[in-house]
Amino acid sequence: MKSGSEKKKRLASWKENFADVGAQLFNYLFILLASLLIGAIVILLSGKDPIAAYVALFDGAFGSGLKFADTLDRTTIMILAGIAGSIAFRTNIINLGLEGQLYIGAFAAAWVGFTFHGLPSYVHIPLCILAGVLGGALWTVPVIYLKLSWNIPVLVPTLMMNYIAIRFTEYLIAFPFRDPGAPMAGSPRLAQSARLPRLIQGSTINIGFILAILIAIIAFWFLFKTKTGYEMRMVGLNKDFAAAAGIPVNRSYILALTLSGGTIGLGGAMMIMGFFGRFLGGFSPGYGWDGFMIAIIAQNHPIGVLPAALFYGGLANGAMAMQSATGVPQAVVAMVKGTLVLSVTVKVFIEGMRKRLQQWVI
Amino acid sequence: MPEALSVKSITKTFPNVVANDNVSLFVKKGTIRAIVGENGAGKTTLMNILYGLYQPDSGQIFIKGEEVKLSNPRDAIARGVGMVHQHFKLVPSYTLAQNIALGVEPKKGIFVNQDRLNQSVQAIAQKYGFEINEKEVTLDVSVGEQQRAEILKALYRGVDILILDEPTAVLTDMETKELFVMLRNLVEQGITILFISHKLREVLEISDDISVMRNGKLIGTVNRDETDECQLAEMMVGRETLGGRMRKGAEIGDCILHVEGLSVLDNRDLSAVKDVDLELFAGEILGGAGVDGNGQEEFVEAILGLRPIVSGKIRIDGQEIQDLTTREIREAGVAYIPSDRYRSGVAVDAVVWENMISGEYYSPPLSKGMSLVLPEIQDLSKKLIDSFQVMTPGPNAKTGTLSGGNIQRVIAGRELGLEKAKVVIASQPTRGIDIAGAEAIRKMLINYANRGAAVFLISADLDEVLALSDRIVVFYEGKVFDAGYYDEGIRQRVGKLMTSGEDCIDEIR
Amino acid sequence: MGNIDIRSVLTLALIASSFRMATPIIFATMGGIFSSHTGIFNVAMEGFLLIGAFFAVYGSVQTGSPLGGMLFAIVSCLLASLIFAILHLELKANPIIVGLGMNIFAIGMTNYLLTALLDSTGVYKSNLIIGFTQIQIPVIETVPVLGDLVSGHFPLVYIAFLTVYVVYLILYKTPFGFHLRSVGEKIDAAESIGVNPKKMKYYGLLVSGLLCAFGGTFLSLSYLNLFGEGMVAGRGWLALAAINFGGMRPVPSMIGCLIFGFMDALAVRLQQFGLPSQVVLMLPYATTIIVLLVSAIIARKKRMAGIGKQDDVDVSVATSSKKVEV
């Protein structure tokens, strides 16, 4: 009799899982189509052909090996930004400061890159990366202080730190670290020893992409398989429960913000060391915000971040091609992204779908 | 006497539960009718139907002889039915008058006519003999006065049938007496009152007729003069006695938890625990009685390091713990069953195993180095689920899908399952859970004490405290009074301390 | 760069331009107060302001009148806040996430429409944009100090300050205001008297949309007649900080706005003295953080002063616990 009930339980949990996964897939398919549809309507309204535009977009992103490689290069920063957002979200911290942490991390990495010369690559690159991580992490310290010492929610301070970071780095490259030779406001070039090795001839893709995938796997392991990750998730799910259990709540908050900032700081370092080769003012078209959206879409799951980031990388890379091929402004992609994240926030569809699937399996 | 209200064959089902099963009821005008029954007997569901909050699946409702359909509280109020809930529905920052007249404010142009509002509230209070400072901000007044405001809020809308949901649960003895005087006043003026309670003594004191519910059915209605506590209790629970004494002889050992001069503030920085001394011995169950909100929560949180203390010392086995972190305090041997399991007992969005390991995850065998050892965790969780009879598909089920009683078993399993604790602090451990679950939790606490641990059972349910405790202390206005060891006179002593605290301490000794 | 005479910085003109700079923040703040009192922390105001600013310009170009532009702004912002409301109230999405999604959506949409409708990227500047003109108040205009401060502003500046008073009257003096606030402070009480919380939340969000339309219109059709994609520059967030600072009360929150406005004005003024623009433009944002810190310090001081007076409940502390924690 005991094994019978065991079987029943297993069957019930299987049904549950099936319904869960099925509903998730349906949900994603649905919101993806809905977003593309809204984008198509907008394109149609401006008198252009949406099919042609999407074909051009897809072609620009994945049309050839090299294009695909460039898309993967864009995906690097998207992965790291998405992981950064997810780590904070998992601890119930809404880190709106990703953009600022990105800039500071990028600048810190650039500074180490252009200041020191004559170092071997295997020393210089890790040093730059370390600087990027530290820069992004330390930029969250004022926010942590406000939260832990004065109980000020991080929402507004993290956002304000973005503006300060962007202005501050602009100041740094306009005055103390100005390179008069740069085409636009920018720092001096990084030493060659600080540049990330490229993976494929003719594409900007570099070892940063591999590192980003590695980081996603580490983040997954960290959040779900380690003590500290468990602590952070429990704090995120119910901090009063965590506190009563003796879980160090404040330490989890500190870790959430610094790890989040450090991860996107790493992303900034990758951009500078892999793609730009110097720090450029205003180099990010909003990667921090992309990361935020990717985390939401992936429901803060580090592995889920990977496909979402690829999708965003594809959009980013394909948009330009779409604009030049069909004249549809790339801004339409921003609208699709906005619609996508808005539809992901709607949980009712998924709940309804889950219930229906559950009934269906019975 | 004319009929105020009656229902015929009301049935209401919720998923998996028949909350009201073919209930019929007839209430005469100008009387007080008590509806008694255990938690989950269906009293509140029935009242919510009468107030238009729920719609019955079948059956009829008559008000003053006329069949009505109540689709929301507004309909009910229009028919003259008002309800005062156990948890007040008053806006803390508004004055009492503003709360009483909320929704039916007298106007001057488009603005609220504040003067006329105050006058009309005062007028209605005087009419029914209620004492109230209508200009006081709600936040600042006593619970009793807030309740008066709630009743006036209904009367202000002209209702003549008043439903009171466990009105005495939050009151002191003194306030309860005052309430009963007011209710008598109301009845004399023709108001009909339905009074939900599970405190039989009060019911016998105040009501004219008493209807008893059990498992969604109306068991019967009796006249106050023709019944007694024993009969009502039997009707309520369907057995002779109402949860008798469960605790038999204890072997008391050394003092394990020693609290000295403890003072703590509440969330509003007001003094909540005032210079409290307490000793808890190995092998005993110490009952902490008292009406909710007399400092119990703050006291417990201070011991666990969850709330900063103003002054005082707390020792476990002679080791001072007041400056330690919650984890260190728990490692010193404190198990904790919090009063609000959803707020601080579990994370409902986490799975069962995640809630079961929160005290152990960081030490072997559940973890090794940085990482968790998931197979060990699964094994332990399964073991605890079995031995604490948690009804769940398995350790990977979402905790939020479990019933309240099962969530409490998850907590009990986590806190008591590894049998490490020297001190168990159980705060309202059986509140709001099913009878079987409550019995199981009580037995666990007794077993724990029998094994030599010190158990501190804090409960607002006096019967529970009396059934389990070797010794009882009473929380009253932030102080703790010793009511002594269990004996024949304990109920009287505890009752007096609960309602008047210090004033009667000499009388008791 | 080192020697700046304080007196030449702190002029009457600086104070007057503080009023101007505070205006869009005041509009957003008053709108945000409305939704905050229904229990919704509206983080989408940044996006609403942007949408308002864009459509004000577009409407002005289309109709040739600033009022026409304002009408466009109002309609578009009401629509945007309606979408927010439907997603949150009907489809049960988390309001913070929806709000942030709205901001991202607003950036994308204005970006796209700027190209599609006005054929520009980044900034649109044209003689076709007809903005508001300043109002010279007769008599007061000629009074020395007062005239400099009070006269010669754009109409929306006066309307902003009027709005503060109107919002105060509505929220604290009318039955509607009592009902609306009860939703945010104690939803059970609201429901018990037949107030429909959802309806009130709709009102709260729509009013915040409406007032953000005013703020957006001011940004693009007063003083500078142009639309730039970065022109909102965090003012929707400053408004949230101001609401926090003022404990959701209209007048104290307005004071927060004036502090931010002053910092904005000071930043512009200091640039004229040759200080690096990148540094002075950090001022308003750094000030916001400092203001949050200072108001937290003051709140704690107040609480500390209350300790010991055990029976004396501090209402301000207790009511401020309504503040949304994120």
Side-chain angles (χ1 to χ4, degrees):
Chain A
M1 191 191 145
K2 182 143 195 206
S3 75
S5 79
E6 191 68 18
K7 239 184 208 165
K8 226 185 249 171
K9 268 186 194 172
R10 213 173 292 159
L11 188 67
S13 90
W14 180 83
K15 276 181 190 168
E16 192 96 346
N17 284 341
F18 177 83
D20 259 346
V21 173
Q24 293 278 10
L25 283 177
F26 266 109
N27 186 49
Y28 279 116
L29 204 63
F30 175 76
I31 57 176
L32 183 63
L33 288 177
S35 310
L36 290 177
L37 191 70
I38 288 182
I41 292 170
V42 170
I43 296 170
L44 211 57
L45 285 178
S46 65
K48 300 269 167 41
D49 177 4
I51 309 275
Y54 283 147
V55 168
L57 180 78
F58 187 83
D59 183 63
F62 306 108
S64 74
L66 282 183
K67 284 174 185 167
F68 191 44
D70 282 347
T71 293
L72 290 183
D73 186 31
R74 288 289 187 113
T75 306
T76 304
I77 179 67
M78 301 291 182
I79 292 172
L80 292 169
I83 297 290
S86 301
I87 291 174
F89 271 130
R90 282 275 173 191
T91 322
N92 202 18
I93 292 277
I94 299 183
N95 180 5
L96 296 182
L98 292 174
E99 193 74 6
Q101 292 144 21
L102 171 77
Y103 272 91
I104 298 295
F107 187 84
W111 183 79
V112 174
F114 64 68
T115 304
F116 301 102
H117 286 271
L119 295 171
S121 268
Y122 59 84
V123 177
H124 208 175
I125 289 175
L127 273 182
C128 288
I129 288 178
L130 186 70
V133 171
L134 279 179
L138 291 178
W139 196 244
T140 64
V141 166
V143 176
I144 293 171
Y145 168 74
L146 292 175
K147 173 156 182 78
L148 297 192
S149 300
W150 298 98
N151 204 18
I152 297 172
V154 302
L155 201 65
V156 175
T158 47
L159 196 103
M160 293 299 138
M161 293 297 282
N162 284 343
Y163 292 100
I164 296 174
I166 293 168
R167 300 289 185 219
F168 179 57
T169 50
E170 270 174 11
Y171 167 78
L172 289 176
I173 54 172
F175 296 98
F177 301 105
R178 182 152 173 236
D179 179 8
M184 43 205 274
S187 74
R189 288 197 156 278
L190 269 61
Q192 202 52 43
S193 55
R195 299 297 302 271
L196 295 175
R198 301 235 157 132
L199 294 176
I200 298 173
Q201 195 84 51
S203 165
T204 49
I205 188 165
N206 52 63
I207 56 163
F209 177 69
I210 295 167
L211 192 61
I213 302 232
L214 223 57
I215 294 285
I217 294 167
I218 291 172
F220 170 74
W221 170 77
F222 175 75
L223 280 172
F224 294 96
K225 312 282 180 194
T226 71
K227 296 189 284 188
T228 319
Y230 168 80
E231 288 172 354
M232 286 166 63
R233 287 190 301 115
M234 292 307 118
V235 169
L237 290 171
N238 183 349
K239 75 169 179 355
D240 291 328
F241 153 70
I247 290 172
V249 174
N250 283 352
R251 195 182 77 185
S252 298
Y253 284 143
I254 294 172
L255 276 173
L257 275 161
T258 49
L259 288 178
S260 177
T263 309
I264 188 115
L266 172 67
M270 297 289 106
M271 291 295 292
I272 299 305
M273 296 159 66
F275 191 78
F276 292 115
R278 66 167 89 211
F279 183 89
L280 293 173
F283 74 89
S284 161
Y287 291 127
W289 296 105
D290 285 337
F292 197 84
M293 288 191 271
I294 290 166
I296 292 172
I297 292 169
Q299 296 179 28
N300 311 322
H301 199 292
I303 302 303
V305 160
L306 295 175
L310 179 65
F311 181 71
Y312 266 61
L315 282 182
N317 217 29
M320 189 87 87
M322 177 188 73
Q323 182 167 2
S324 59
T326 64
V328 173
Q330 38 175 323
V332 77
V333 164
M335 267 192 89
V336 172
K337 288 199 273 193
T339 318
L340 191 64
V341 77
L342 280 181
S343 22
V344 173
T345 59
V346 177
K347 286 272 153 63
V348 272
F349 296 128
I350 198 168
E351 266 311 303
M353 187 67 77
R354 214 175 70 85
K355 284 200 184 109
R356 200 158 304 166
L357 279 175
Q358 245 168 341
Q359 284 164 3
W360 182 66
V361 199
I362 300 162
Chain B
M1 231 185 271
E3 157 189 324
L5 175 149
S6 67
V7 298
K8 287 210 175 79
S9 312
I10 291 275
T11 297
K12 173 76 183 172
T13 51
F14 293 109
N16 311 326
V17 195
V18 183
N20 281 170
D21 186 359
N22 200 17
V23 173
S24 298
L25 193 71
F26 176 92
V27 183
K28 282 178 286 186
K29 185 174 185 319
T31 62
I32 298 181
R33 166 68 59 92
I35 317 276
V36 300
E38 282 200 272
N39 284 337
K43 327 177 280 273
T44 304
T45 304
L46 181 61
M47 295 305 115
N48 284 341
I49 287 171
L50 292 175
Y51 189 52
L53 283 166
Y54 296 149
Q55 283 67 51
D57 301 338
S58 62
Q60 297 159 291
I61 304 170
F62 299 88
I63 294 175
K64 293 158 201 129
E66 199 182 323
E67 185 174 356
V68 293
K69 254 203 155 49
L70 306 169
S71 43
N72 57 46
R74 248 173 306 164
D75 288 356
I77 289 168
R79 300 281 177 176
V81 179
M83 182 159 175
V84 175
H85 294 85
Q86 195 178 350
H87 302 287
F88 301 147
K89 297 171 188 292
L90 302 170
V91 185
S93 73
Y94 293 5
T95 66
L96 291 176
Q98 283 165 348
N99 265 311
I100 289 166
L102 193 64
V104 285
E105 303 87 352
K107 283 179 219 164
K108 188 161 70 184
I110 60 161
F111 297 112
V112 173
N113 187 336
Q114 195 59 52
D115 295 335
R116 218 148 61 75
L117 187 151
N118 287 340
Q119 285 159 14
S120 59
V121 165
Q122 191 48 248
I124 202 126
Q126 272 167 6
K127 177 180 168 196
Y128 291 108
F130 279 47
E131 246 179 69
I132 196 158
N133 298 311
E134 76 278 3
K135 288 176 192 160
E136 286 283 321
V137 173
T138 307
L139 196 74
D140 297 345
V141 305
S142 68
V143 172
E145 192 157 1
Q146 290 184 18
Q147 190 177 54
R148 289 201 282 281
E150 272 285 8
I151 296 173
L152 282 171
K153 192 168 143 188
L155 297 171
Y156 192 85
R157 286 160 170 75
V159 308
D160 53 7
I161 301 169
L162 202 55
I163 303 170
L164 305 174
D165 187 4
E166 305 226 10
T168 59
V170 289
L171 299 183
T172 63
D173 240 23
M174 200 57 204
E175 285 174 324
T176 303
K177 284 205 180 89
E178 287 168 15
L179 173 72
F180 285 176
V181 172
M182 284 185 280
L183 295 186
R184 278 284 149 218
N185 264 337
L186 291 178
V187 170
E188 273 162 30
Q189 304 208 33
I191 306 276
T192 309
I193 293 170
L194 279 85
F195 181 103
I196 303 182
S197 181
H198 53 231
K199 296 184 180 172
L200 301 180
R201 228 168 310 222
E202 288 174 359
V203 162
L204 285 165
E205 186 184 337
I206 186 70
S207 43
D208 299 306
D209 300 293
I210 301 154
S211 297
V212 183
M213 292 188 74
R214 189 204 319 158
N215 291 335
K217 293 195 179 71
L218 193 86
I219 298 299
T221 299
V222 288
N223 188 275
R224 184 239 321 239
D225 300 328
E226 292 157 12
T227 188
D228 58 23
E229 245 178 276
C230 286
Q231 190 201 0
L232 287 174
E234 199 189 317
M235 288 169 80
M236 259 171 76
V237 298
R239 58 181 185 224
E240 280 297 332
T241 50
L242 177 71
R245 176 100 174 130
M246 293 173 76
R247 180 75 173 145
K248 313 246 154 28
E251 268 181 53
I252 311 271
D254 298 336
C255 172
I256 293 195
L257 175 71
H258 188 148
V259 177
E260 214 181 317
L262 182 68
S263 293
V264 183
L265 301 178
D266 67 10
N267 288 339
R268 297 191 296 187
D269 286 333
L270 306 175
S271 177
V273 175
K274 301 165 189 168
D275 194 20
V276 165
D277 299 327
L278 185 92
E279 281 180 306
L280 183 56
F281 297 93
E284 78 167 342
I285 298 181
L286 175 64
V291 177
D292 273 354
N294 274 291
Q296 296 96 320
E297 270 310 283
E298 288 83 0
F299 179 81
V300 168
E301 287 176 6
I303 289 181
L304 276 143
L306 294 169
R307 182 176 285 280
I309 69 172
V310 176
S311 59
K313 284 201 171 75
I314 306 166
R315 288 193 201 90
I316 287 183
D317 269 350
Q319 180 200 1
E320 283 193 19
I321 62 160
Q322 70 271 9
D323 297 324
L324 301 184
T325 63
T326 301
R327 167 155 302 165
E328 287 162 340
I329 292 167
R330 280 172 156 282
E331 281 173 343
V334 179
Y336 172 44
I337 299 178
S339 61
D340 186 341
R341 58 186 158 273
Y342 294 102
R343 191 175 71 81
S344 47
V346 291
V348 286
D349 291 323
V351 298
V352 170
W353 70 257
E354 288 172 328
N355 277 307
M356 280 190 145
I357 61 162
S358 63
E360 284 297 318
Y361 69 93
Y362 56 90
S363 41
L366 299 191
S367 66
K368 208 170 124 190
M370 278 179 82
S371 31
L372 300 169
V373 182
L374 295 175
E376 287 285 345
I377 289 172
Q378 289 281 334
D379 285 351
L380 175 72
S381 306
K382 281 186 188 141
K383 213 181 81 195
L384 291 175
I385 287 171
D386 280 347
S387 56
F388 284 77
Q389 295 168 345
V390 185
M391 300 279 278
T392 167
N396 296 321
K398 270 263 166 70
T399 309
T401 61
L402 272 55
S403 72
N406 278 309
I407 287 181
Q408 198 71 341
R409 286 167 195 248
V410 169
I411 297 171
R414 172 182 79 212
E415 301 293 334
L416 310 177
L418 293 174
E419 298 174 13
K420 280 184 177 171
K422 292 183 210 155
V423 180
V424 179
I425 297 177
S427 183
Q428 319 289 357
T430 62
R431 177 177 281 177
I433 65 178
D434 58 298
I435 294 175
E439 291 290 293
I441 301 271
R442 289 178 188 136
K443 282 195 184 119
M444 284 174 211
L445 292 177
I446 291 173
N447 288 342
Y448 229 75
N450 287 343
R451 280 201 295 266
V455 176
F456 191 17
L457 165 70
I458 294 166
S459 175
D461 178 352
L462 183 53
D463 289 323
E464 178 174 74
V465 172
L466 289 170
L468 294 178
S469 308
D470 300 307
R471 186 163 66 92
I472 296 177
V473 293
V474 179
F475 284 85
Y476 183 78
E477 292 190 339
K479 295 194 175 146
V480 172
F481 299 99
D482 193 349
Y485 282 92
Y486 184 88
D487 60 21
E488 279 161 20
I490 189 107
R491 183 182 273 274
Q492 282 68 32
R493 295 200 302 271
V494 171
K496 275 182 183 160
L497 285 168
M498 274 171 75
T499 51
S500 40
E502 205 157 18
D503 298 343
C504 63
I505 198 88
D506 296 333
E507 200 183 314
I508 283 169
R509 284 179 185 142
Chain C
M1 180 167 140
N3 297 321
I4 298 171
D5 186 354
I6 289 284
R7 276 166 301 178
S8 64
V9 176
L10 295 173
T11 57
L12 286 177
L14 180 72
I15 307 288
S17 70
S18 307
F19 291 150
R20 191 182 78 224
M21 294 299 205
T23 296
I25 310 174
I26 290 176
F27 278 124
T29 300
M30 294 306 131
I33 282 177
F34 248 87
S35 63
S36 297
H37 273 297
T38 64
I40 299 174
F41 197 58
N42 186 354
V43 295
M45 293 192 296
E46 180 82 4
F48 290 173
L49 285 171
L50 188 66
I51 290 172
F54 175 81
F55 278 97
V57 160
Y58 181 66
S60 165
V61 170
Q62 291 295 311
T63 62
S65 131
L67 282 176
M70 190 150 143
L71 195 68
F72 271 63
I74 289 172
V75 171
S76 57
C77 283
L78 284 179
L79 267 178
S81 48
L82 191 65
I83 293 172
F84 185 145
I86 290 172
L87 286 173
H88 169 45
L89 299 171
E90 306 298 339
L91 302 176
K92 309 284 174 245
N94 175 331
I96 301 272
I97 305 294
V98 174
L100 295 167
M102 290 294 300
N103 288 340
I104 290 163
F105 182 76
I107 294 169
M109 184 178 74
T110 51
N111 220 324
Y112 175 72
L113 293 178
L114 190 61
T115 340
L117 298 178
L118 298 172
D119 202 22
S120 319
T121 42
V123 182
Y124 176 71
K125 209 171 169 181
S126 158
N127 295 332
L128 296 173
I129 307 174
I130 314 295
F132 289 96
T133 46
Q134 281 113 318
I135 295 178
Q136 305 297 337
I137 306 175
V139 188
I140 290 182
E141 185 190 355
T142 57
V143 179
V145 175
L146 194 67
D148 291 330
L149 288 180
V150 172
S151 183
H153 286 294
F154 288 92
L156 281 170
V157 176
Y158 302 108
I159 293 175
F161 286 93
L162 193 67
T163 302
V164 176
Y165 186 59
V166 171
V167 166
Y168 165 75
L169 283 182
I170 292 176
L171 285 179
Y172 289 86
K173 297 292 171 195
T174 67
F176 173 75
F178 277 106
H179 302 169
L180 184 127
R181 287 191 292 133
S182 71
V183 170
E185 192 176 341
K186 182 97 182 175
I187 196 161
D188 292 354
E191 281 170 338
S192 78
I193 57 153
V195 167
N196 181 348
K198 200 195 252 184
K199 205 163 100 188
M200 288 297 172
K201 285 171 193 251
Y202 266 106
Y203 284 135
L205 284 173
L206 287 174
V207 169
S208 63
L210 176 75
L211 291 179
C212 284
F214 282 56
T217 307
F218 179 81
L219 280 175
S220 62
L221 289 186
S222 304
Y223 200 68
L224 292 172
N225 291 332
L226 60 82
F227 174 80
E229 45 179 32
M231 78 188 306
V232 178
R235 288 188 175 85
W237 294 99
L238 294 178
L240 287 179
I243 294 168
N244 193 311
F245 173 79
M248 292 175 14
R249 286 163 300 169
V251 176
S253 302
M254 178 194 74
I255 291 170
C257 297
L258 288 174
I259 295 174
F260 299 146
F262 176 75
M263 282 300 158
D264 257 342
L266 188 67
V268 174
R269 185 96 182 115
L270 287 175
Q271 271 184 85
Q272 293 162 358
F273 285 87
L275 286 176
S277 65
Q278 297 90 341
V279 173
V280 293
L281 287 176
M282 284 194 249
L283 263 180
Y285 308 109
T287 310
T288 310
I289 291 180
I290 292 165
V291 161
L292 285 175
L293 178 62
V294 169
S295 50
I297 292 173
I298 291 172
R300 185 169 296 178
K301 279 248 170 78
K302 249 191 201 164
R303 287 180 61 159
M304 289 306 169
I307 293 177
K309 287 187 275 171
Q310 282 156 11
D311 300 313
D312 199 320
V313 179
D314 185 348
V315 184
S316 68
V317 171
T319 48
S320 71
S321 68
K322 293 180 297 196
K323 272 184 207 159
V324 188
E325 200 190 329
V326 180

